[in-house]
């Protein structure tokens, strides 16, 4: 009887280990770098993959240490030579799009951001920030993001590259904060997350990829876990590069994103869910002006910079204004320059029955 019990326990532990291994493995699949969704677009037929930033671009980015330890998993390469990791949502392939089995609801949208004044006409070449990572509680068909928008409008056509971290149960399998990107191009006006559409984003890094979960979460009033993200246009290749510190993760190719610079840069928080429903928390779920920054309660974005004349410089506080569409649910506090933090903002709120105004 004792030997039978030991055998049962052994089988159970093996099954649990296998289940855990399978669960981790389904987070991504290794795909031939030339067979990822980006290369299914006819405009990408003769595209030459950019494996590293140009020398000119590299000299403009931060020289601080790498931060890949903030992501789930080990630092070693995840895929064999010639392949890259692609996040696997629950999907069906139809024509141009990879459609999730569950509808991705993008309604009931609310913002707590800083944005350029409406009459400003400067053209930027990208932006960066250091984010602290939180895990706001969201329900099915809700999302909560810490987000940067790079928008360009030409007549009535909008192009946009957006990036940051997101808790998005309609897009992902769980409620963990993940590196997330979104894009709209003049050739693809419907918009698309990560690599869920033909054309668009090209993955090149073998460890870090859009859809990857952050494995260290900030704790209110205690430890703060941060991650650096940057998107800028390489002046040599004209591709829009997604980087963390000196590491190239991937990029949006010039064949799909022909815009030369962007006319709007937004920084801050962004939530959404079912129309008319309760809105989810944003950031740490706290109002930034109530708790302040020095005690490290609020969700923040710091070292806010943009590309200007091929230089990465602090944003100009005279060019930006705060914007919150639902002050009873969310707020943003543009702190301006802080020693060791640069230009920064804090944002967040508990959500609720927000409405507008």
């Amino acid at each position: 009887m004792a030997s039978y019990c030991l055998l049962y326990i052994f089988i159970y532990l093996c099954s649990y280990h296998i289940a855990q291994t399978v669960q981790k493995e389904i987070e991504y699949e290794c795909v031939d770098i030339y067979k990822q969704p980006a290369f299914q677009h006819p405009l990408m037929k003769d595209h030459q993959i950019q494996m590293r930033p140009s020398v000119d671009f590299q000299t403009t980015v931060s020289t601080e240490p790498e931060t890949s330890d903030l992501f789930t998993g080990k630092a070693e390469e995840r895929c064999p030579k010639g392949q890259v990791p692609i996040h696997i949502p629950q999907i069906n392939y139809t024509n141009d799009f990879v459609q999730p089995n569950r509808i991705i609801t993008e309604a009931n949208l609310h913002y707590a951001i800083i944005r350029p004044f409406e009459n400003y006409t400067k053209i930027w070449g990208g932006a960066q920030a250091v984010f602290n990572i939180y895990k706001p509680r969201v329900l099915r068909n809700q999302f909560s993001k810490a987000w940067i928008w790079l928008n360009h409008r030409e007549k009535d056509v909008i192009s946009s590259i957006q990036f940051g971290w997101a808790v998005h149960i309609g897009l992902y399998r769980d409620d963990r904060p993940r590196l997330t990107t979104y894009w709209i191009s003049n050739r693809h006006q419907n918009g698309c997350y990560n690599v869920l559409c033909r054309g668009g984003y090209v993955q090149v890094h073998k460890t870090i990829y859009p859809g990857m979960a952050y494995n260290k979460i900030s704790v209110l009033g205690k430890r703060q876990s941060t991650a650096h993200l940057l998107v800028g246009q390489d002046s040599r290749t004209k591709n829009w590069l997604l980087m963390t510190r000196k590491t190239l993760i991937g990029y949006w190719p010039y064949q799909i994103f022909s815009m030369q610079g962007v006319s709007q840069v937004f920084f801050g928080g962004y939530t959404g869910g079912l129309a008319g429903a309760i809105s989810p928390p944003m950031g740490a779920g706290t109002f930034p002006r109530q708790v302040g920054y020095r005690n490290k309660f609020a969700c923040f974005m710091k070292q806010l910079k943009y590309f200007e004349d091929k230089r990465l410089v602090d944003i100009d506080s005279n060019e930006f204004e705060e914007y919150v569409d639902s002050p009873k649910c969310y707020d943003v506090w543009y702190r301006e320059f802080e020693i060791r933090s640069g230009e920064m903002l804090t944002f967040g709120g508990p959500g609720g029955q927000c409405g507008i105004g």
Side-chain angles (χ1 to χ4, degrees):
M1 182 69 178
S3 60
Y4 176 80
C5 291
L6 289 174
L7 178 61
Y8 177 82
I9 292 171
F10 174 77
I11 293 173
Y12 172 80
L13 291 175
C14 288
S15 300
Y16 177 80
H17 174 73
I18 292 170
Q20 292 296 97
T21 301
V22 170
Q23 184 175 6
K24 291 180 181 178
E25 287 176 349
I26 64 172
E27 283 287 323
Y28 69 94
E29 63 177 336
C30 292
V31 176
D32 185 296
I33 194 169
Y34 281 101
K35 293 182 180 179
Q36 58 182 298
F39 290 93
Q40 297 172 16
H41 196 286
L43 291 175
M44 295 288 287
K45 180 180 179 181
D46 299 317
H47 179 77
Q48 296 297 313
I49 292 180
Q50 180 174 358
M51 296 302 299
R52 59 185 59 85
S54 68
V55 174
D56 290 343
F57 189 90
Q58 189 73 63
T59 60
T60 67
V61 302
S62 173
T63 58
E64 296 183 40
E66 304 294 340
T67 57
S68 60
D69 62 316
L70 287 178
F71 291 88
T72 301
K74 298 180 180 180
E76 68 262 16
E77 294 180 352
R78 294 174 175 268
C79 294
K81 184 177 180 180
Q83 298 184 6
V84 292
I86 300 295
H87 178 261
I88 307 174
Q90 296 179 7
I91 54 176
N92 290 320
Y93 290 86
T94 59
N95 299 328
D96 286 351
F97 304 100
V98 180
Q99 298 287 3
N101 290 332
R102 299 186 306 272
I103 296 173
I104 297 178
T105 302
E106 303 275 315
N108 195 26
L109 305 178
H110 295 289
Y111 303 83
I113 62 175
I114 62 171
R115 62 184 184 183
F117 289 102
E118 289 188 10
N119 60 352
Y120 213 75
T121 58
K122 181 179 289 188
I123 299 298
W124 294 283
Q128 74 149 44
V130 173
F131 305 73
N132 64 344
I133 311 297
Y134 273 98
K135 186 181 178 182
R137 294 177 178 234
V138 304
L139 304 176
R140 184 180 295 273
N141 291 318
Q142 291 182 335
F143 66 80
S144 187
K145 304 177 182 179
W147 215 233
I148 297 177
W149 293 256
L150 304 176
N151 299 333
H152 179 77
R153 179 186 291 272
E154 189 168 340
K155 296 181 180 179
D156 294 329
V157 178
I158 295 176
S159 297
S160 182
I161 293 174
Q162 304 170 21
F163 62 102
W165 62 258
V167 176
H168 196 322
I169 296 184
L171 176 63
Y172 299 118
R173 299 168 183 265
D174 55 35
D175 63 350
R176 289 184 292 172
R178 295 172 180 268
L179 168 61
T180 302
T181 64
Y182 185 81
W183 55 272
I184 303 169
S185 78
N186 58 346
R187 295 182 173 89
H188 199 305
Q189 285 289 290
N190 291 316
C192 192
Y193 278 101
N194 300 340
V195 296
L196 296 184
C197 304
R198 299 193 308 163
Y201 177 80
V202 177
Q203 174 68 26
V204 298
H205 199 270
K206 290 190 175 183
T207 302
I208 305 169
Y209 56 91
M212 191 171 188
Y214 288 97
N215 66 346
K216 294 182 181 179
I217 309 300
S218 298
V219 178
L220 285 170
K222 298 180 181 179
R223 183 193 74 244
Q224 298 295 294
S225 297
T226 61
H228 170 269
L229 291 172
L230 171 152
V231 170
Q233 186 172 31
D234 191 313
S235 60
R236 185 182 64 83
T237 65
K238 306 303 181 184
N239 298 323
W240 290 82
L241 311 187
L242 171 65
M243 301 185 67
T244 177
R245 301 298 179 199
K246 297 176 290 184
T247 300
L248 176 62
I249 302 172
Y251 61 90
W252 293 266
Y254 73 91
Q255 287 95 335
I256 307 298
F257 289 85
S258 57
M259 58 188 184
Q260 295 298 311
V262 296
S263 54
Q264 293 178 321
V265 179
F266 302 156
F267 301 87
Y270 179 35
T271 65
L274 293 172
I278 293 175
S279 296
M282 177 190 293
T286 57
F287 288 110
R289 296 176 199 268
Q290 292 180 350
V291 300
Y293 167 70
R294 295 193 182 281
N295 292 327
K296 294 182 171 58
F297 280 102
C299 191
F300 65 75
M301 296 168 65
K302 62 182 181 179
Q303 297 179 27
L304 304 179
K305 298 177 183 287
Y306 50 53
F307 285 88
E308 182 179 35
D309 298 326
K310 300 181 182 180
R311 296 179 301 123
L312 192 59
V313 298
D314 290 322
I315 68 173
D316 186 341
S317 60
N318 296 316
E319 298 173 351
F320 284 80
E321 63 176 351
E322 297 173 350
Y323 171 73
V324 181
D325 72 327
S326 183
K328 65 182 179 181
C329 288
Y330 310 111
D331 195 12
V332 63
W333 187 7
Y334 184 17
R335 300 297 300 270
E336 300 184 13
F337 190 83
E338 298 258 356
I339 295 176
R340 294 186 299 275
S341 295
E343 297 288 329
M344 66 169 299
L345 61 87
T346 56
F347 61 94
Q353 294 286 355
C354 298
I356 299 296

